[in-house]
Amino acid sequence: MEFKKILEKQSEESWKTYIPTLSIDCVIFSFHETTLQVLTVKMKDQDLWGLPGGYVQKEENVDDAAIRILKDRTGTENIYLQQFYTFGNLNRSESAFEKYDDNLWYKQRFVSIGYYALAEHSKVNLIVDEYSSACEWKSIEDLPPFMMDHRTIFDKALLTLREQLNNHPIGYNLLPEKFTMPELQKLYEAILSKKLNRGNFYRKILRYDILTKLDESRKGGAHKAPDLYRFDLDKYDVALKEGLKGNW
Amino acid sequence: MEFKKILEKQSEESWKTYIPTLSIDCVIFSFHETTLQVLTVKMKDQDLWGLPGGYVQKEENVDDAAIRILKDRTGTENIYLQQFYTFGNLNRSESAFEKYDDNLWYKQRFVSIGYYALAEHSKVNLIVDEYSSACEWKSIEDLPPFMMDHRTIFDKALLTLREQLNNHPIGYNLLPEKFTMPELQKLYEAILSKKLNRGNFYRKILRYDILTKLDESRKGGAHKAPDLYRFDLDKYDVALKEGLKGNW
């Protein structure tokens, strides 16, 4: 079946299944080979890349819809998922379906609720469904042009993630269970897109009191074997809920 | 005209004017007599208090709708307004209109976008419109029971405001132009609902480098006249955009 027909058929179903006006877009981050990456998809009918998304069922909480969409698009559950902003400008999305009939579901005005997720890179399945021609991780330092206002949505997600560094611990979903201080610093540098001073980084991170130093070190390599750490999950959870030590 | 009739007439207009499914709720904070206050309204038909809100016109950006609603409900423009979260649970609002027909606009499922505003107490007009029986400031330490999920919306707004203290300067819209350090500390204490250590507060605030110490002091009172400060608006604006000094 040609793609236009698939979309028109799905449009009819969507009018029955979902509440109008609202969509959800997901900015799914992972950390891989010292770069922060984001999951991007390409619709069969489009030249530009976009963020994975979906709609809210008539008898479904919005947060549950986000969890369902994330699962459908990545095969994963129980990953850190956080609503961050709702995008409601006129004509933010309608133009992508110009060549279709005005009653096509996808061509309506949608206000989109953005969620960002922090996912373990290896656990995400790159699912190419019947509407997509591709699904790929992209480094945030080298993003392709995005469709609709998806670049704005991505930028706001990254800004929110950066601000979260000042309020809450980050890393549990992005790093392996055991990691070195230089690895943790590289994660912060990847999120912030800037180099950090090593001494300042150590002092500030240790002041948060969320790490446990292990009696092991990372073997191999020419340098002195660096110490391994893991997150103290009890303290990490407290800091997730109540904020980092030293905060207001 | 009885209130039920007014509401039914307005319902017809609303179906024509607004996009479906979406509403806006505003949490308007001010600082008055050392307490943080929030603007509350009571609908004619309801026993419980609520937050002022409204809907989004068909040809209107969502952020512009929030500005319009804020102006309609308070008579003020150009006050600090920030989207903070979107509330989308099933049945979050429908029950408040149980006794009306199912096709009443207000009885539909609405997903509500929350905005918080920081307003100068004296500049806000308490507007009692044809749908309301009251409009009042309430201290956040002594809130009445709220209708629908408005308590959840308020709690999230306050949590967001508290987290913003770690990322951005706050106070310009809430304090007079010239203020003393104890007055600024009282604002922080009112937002955080806790006492702060005076020495720590001074050190932390001065480190942000957003204040200018004036060659004046507050006259009157039994104690030594305290120094007056004002915000350095250039530095304040930079910190609003780029975050506070010492942050990641």
Side-chain angles (χ1 to χ4, degrees), chain A residues 165-211:
Chain A
L165 290 182
N166 295 310
N167 279 302
H168 298 290
I170 277 176
Y172 178 62
N173 312 280
L174 297 173
L175 289 171
E177 195 196 334
K178 299 172 184 181
F179 49 85
T180 66
M181 273 292 194
E183 285 164 359
L184 184 59
Q185 181 171 342
K186 282 209 164 61
L187 170 63
Y188 273 69
E189 289 177 340
I191 292 172
L192 295 164
S193 294
K194 68 179 179 193
K195 289 278 169 207
L196 299 170
N197 174 281
R198 184 167 171 270
N200 290 345
F201 179 79
Y202 274 45
R203 261 191 303 281
K204 207 160 161 174
I205 284 288
L206 290 178
R207 217 184 294 137
Y208 291 160
D209 189 24
I210 51 169
L211 296 176

Side-chain angles (χ1 to χ4, degrees), chain B residues 179-190:
Chain B
F179 50 85
T180 65
M181 273 293 194
E183 285 164 359
L184 184 59
Q185 182 172 341
K186 281 210 167 58
L187 170 63
Y188 272 68
E189 290 176 338

Side-chain angles (χ1 to χ4, degrees), chain A residues 42-91:
Chain A
K42 196 183 257 187
M43 271 184 70
K44 272 184 179 155
D45 210 20
Q46 304 284 335
D47 295 325
L48 301 175
W49 292 85
L51 300 166
Y55 304 96
V56 182
Q57 291 168 4
K58 285 181 178 166
E59 293 295 326
E60 184 180 43
N61 295 328
V62 169
D63 285 344
D64 292 336
I67 292 167
R68 171 179 56 76
I69 290 163
L70 192 67
K71 192 184 171 195
D72 288 351
R73 303 305 291 248
T74 66
T76 57
E77 288 177 281
N78 300 320
I79 70 179
Y80 183 90
L81 182 68
Q82 181 71 49
Q83 193 201 107
F84 65 94
Y85 204 77
T86 295
F87 301 85
N89 277 358
L90 285 166
N91 303 313

Side-chain angles (χ1 to χ4, degrees), chain A residues 20-22 57-62 83 86 88-90 109 111 163 166-168 204 208 246-248, chain B residues 20-22 57-62 83 86 88-90 109 111 163 165-168 204 208 246 248:
Chain A
T21 319
L22 264 187
Q57 291 168 4
K58 285 181 178 166
E59 293 295 326
E60 184 180 43
N61 295 328
V62 169
Q83 193 201 107
T86 295
N89 277 358
L90 285 166
R109 177 178 181 188
V111 171
E163 295 205 335
N166 295 310
N167 279 302
H168 298 290
K204 207 160 161 174
Y208 291 160
N247 280 0
W248 293 107
Chain B
T21 319
L22 263 187
Q57 291 169 4
K58 285 181 178 166
E59 293 295 325
E60 184 180 42
N61 295 329
V62 169
Q83 193 200 107
T86 295
N89 277 357
L90 286 167
R109 178 179 180 186
V111 171
E163 294 205 335
L165 290 182
N166 295 311
N167 279 302
H168 299 290
K204 206 159 163 176
Y208 291 160
W248 292 108

Side-chain angles (χ1 to χ4, degrees), chain B residues 119-174:
Chain B
E120 226 172 303
H121 190 269
S122 63
K123 287 201 179 152
V124 170
N125 300 320
L126 302 180
I127 297 172
V128 180
D129 64 18
E130 57 179 327
Y131 311 104
S132 315
S133 61
C135 176
E136 292 177 17
W137 290 110
K138 305 275 185 194
S139 162
I140 68 158
E141 302 298 340
D142 188 23
L143 290 175
F146 277 157
M147 64 191 300
M148 303 178 188
D149 63 346
H150 285 195
R151 178 70 204 217
T152 303
I153 295 176
F154 167 81
D155 287 342
K156 182 74 178 175
L158 183 58
L159 187 69
T160 305
L161 184 60
R162 287 175 178 169
E163 294 205 335
Q164 283 301 315
L165 290 182
N166 295 311
N167 279 302
H168 299 290
I170 277 176
Y172 179 61
N173 311 281
L174 298 173

